[in-house]
């Protein structure tokens, strides 16, 4: 890769890592489900009028929109609102690579080899260490919801592979139109109209800036740049940069939010990143019929290798 393109890949990883800090700040301004709805609304508009017609069938856009947009981000934002730290969330969410491999085996017939299985075991050990560390000081409920978000991300990765969108940005923009109304309905039902209206009436420049970042910088710029890199270079050259996401996430959380990183959490980070790397880049075996490329680790909005063949993260 050319130096400028290496810098662009690192920049996207930084944008996605810092996104967890921005989410934490945004949760001080908005209820989590309303926040997620606004994120997708602003990501979709006006971009949906600029990217052209959908390039895949609507059934895939609807399926990914519900699983990724409503379930994954609803759980992630709610988990962080309940106390899951930003830095830890950026790390734990990467276990989506393990879920992707498991669901790809179940749904698409990709049989994991020994190296991939070893990577999954190492990553799960990292989750266990992180859970034990969080259980002593933080919210296990929030931690569990982030794990649930990672599982939903794994499902959406498999759905995306089935869809095989030729244009990652076009796909993500149209996917962003789907979660808006379901998330708004859930917010009204679970968070209450009074809380939602109070958040909207109290919108200030900081709150608006948070929405712009998570929608346009993380989603539109991040997905667009990642997809552009994947069209120019092999996935094996681009996907490893997604392993930097939890590095940027944990370091930015420590810098801007004052989150401490215990020795146990560093150990969990080493296990998780190492296990995700093995899971993502170890070759898989086909059991016949349908199969997919190996999943790569993905950051805050979608799947990295899911975009190597379909879309970035």
């Amino acid at each position: 890769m050319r130096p400028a393109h290496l810098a662009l890949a690192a920049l996207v990883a930084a944008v996605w890592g810092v996104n967890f800090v921005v989410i934490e700040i945004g949760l001080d301004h908005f209820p989590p489900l309303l926040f997620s709805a606004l994120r997708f609304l602003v990501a979709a508009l006006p971009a949906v009028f600029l990217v052209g017609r959908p390039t895949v069938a609507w059934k895939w856009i609807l399926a990914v929109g519900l699983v990724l947009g409503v379930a994954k981000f609803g759980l992630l934002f709610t988990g962080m609102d309940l106390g899951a730290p930003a830095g830890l969330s950026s790390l734990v969410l990467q276990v989506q690579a393990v879920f992707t491999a498991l669901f790809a085996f179940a749904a698409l017939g990709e049989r994991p080899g020994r190296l991939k299985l070893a990577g999954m075991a190492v990553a799960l050990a990292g989750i266990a260490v992180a859970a034990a560390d969080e259980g002593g000081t933080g919210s296990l409920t929030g931690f569990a919801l982030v794990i649930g978000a990672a599982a939903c991300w794994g499902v959406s990765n498999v759905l995306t592979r089935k869809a095989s969108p030729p244009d990652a940005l076009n796909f993500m923009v149209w996917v962003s139109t789907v979660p808006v109304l379901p998330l708004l309905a859930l917010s009204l039902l679970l968070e209450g109209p009074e809380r939602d209206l109070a958040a909207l009436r109290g919108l200030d420049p900081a709150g608006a800036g948070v929405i712009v970042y998570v929608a346009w910088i993380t989603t539109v710029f991040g997905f667009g740049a990642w997809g552009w890199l994947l069209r120019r270079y092999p996935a094996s050259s681009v996907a490893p940069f997604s392993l930097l996401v939890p590095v940027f996430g944990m370091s930015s959380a420590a810098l801007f939010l004052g989150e401490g990183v215990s020795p146990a959490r560093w150990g969990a980070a080493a296990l998780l990143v190492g296990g995700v790397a093995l899971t993502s880049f170890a070759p898989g075996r086909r059991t016949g019929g349908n199969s997919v490329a190996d999943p790569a680790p993905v950051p805050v909005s979608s799947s990295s290798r899911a975009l190597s063949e379909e879309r970035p993260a």
Side-chain angles (χ1 to χ4, degrees):
M1 294 175 64
R2 294 171 56 184
H5 298 163
L6 290 170
L8 178 61
L11 175 62
V12 173
V15 163
W16 280 332
V18 173
N19 186 57
F20 288 87
V21 172
V22 177
I23 291 171
E24 189 74 43
I25 296 170
L27 290 170
D28 291 332
H29 292 77
F30 309 100
L33 296 176
L34 176 64
F35 184 18
S36 190
L38 292 173
R39 171 256 174 90
F40 283 108
L41 176 64
V42 176
L45 298 175
V48 72
F49 299 110
L50 305 175
V51 298
R53 297 170 63 85
T55 56
V56 300
W58 268 103
K59 66 178 181 179
W60 300 119
I61 292 173
L62 290 171
V64 175
L66 292 173
V67 175
L68 180 72
V70 179
K72 184 254 185 176
F73 279 99
L75 290 171
L76 173 64
F77 282 33
T78 302
M80 292 181 65
D81 189 57
L82 290 177
L88 181 63
S89 297
S90 72
L91 174 66
V92 170
L93 200 62
Q94 300 313 309
V95 79
Q96 59 81 24
V98 173
F99 286 114
T100 300
L102 291 172
F103 296 143
F105 170 65
L108 302 176
E110 180 186 299
R111 183 180 176 184
R114 292 180 180 178
L115 191 59
K116 189 182 291 288
L117 288 172
M120 293 164 65
V122 171
L124 292 175
I127 290 293
V129 172
D133 183 56
E134 184 68 6
T137 58
S139 167
L140 279 179
T141 301
F143 183 89
L145 290 180
V146 175
I147 296 291
C152 292
W153 198 352
V155 174
S156 73
N157 288 343
V158 173
L159 291 171
T160 298
R161 290 173 182 187
K162 293 285 288 184
S164 298
D167 184 334
L169 180 60
N170 174 285
F171 182 66
M172 190 59 203
V173 168
W174 281 103
V175 163
S176 295
T177 66
V178 175
V180 178
L181 292 180
L183 284 168
L184 284 175
L186 287 171
S187 180
L188 289 172
L189 179 65
L190 300 176
E191 296 165 345
E194 296 83 3
R195 189 179 175 194
D196 287 352
L197 286 173
L200 294 173
R201 287 171 180 160
L203 183 66
D204 57 14
V210 162
I211 295 294
V212 169
Y213 186 94
V214 298
W216 291 351
I217 306 300
T218 297
T219 303
V220 177
F221 165 74
F223 278 90
W226 196 258
W228 182 83
L229 288 168
L230 286 168
R231 285 192 294 272
R232 291 180 64 94
Y233 297 101
S236 58
S237 298
V238 179
F241 283 89
S242 64
L243 292 172
L244 295 175
V245 172
V247 176
F248 285 114
M250 294 178 70
S251 58
S252 61
L255 179 63
F256 296 113
L257 302 177
E259 288 186 8
V261 183
S262 66
R265 191 164 296 180
W266 280 121
L271 289 170
L272 259 169
V273 171
V276 165
L278 285 173
T279 302
S280 300
F281 304 115
R285 292 179 291 175
R286 299 181 179 182
T287 59
N290 215 353
S291 69
V292 303
D294 297 328
V298 181
V300 70
S301 297
S302 161
S303 154
S304 131
R305 175 64 176 267
L307 275 180
S308 70
E309 305 299 326
E310 298 108 12
R311 64 173 180 164

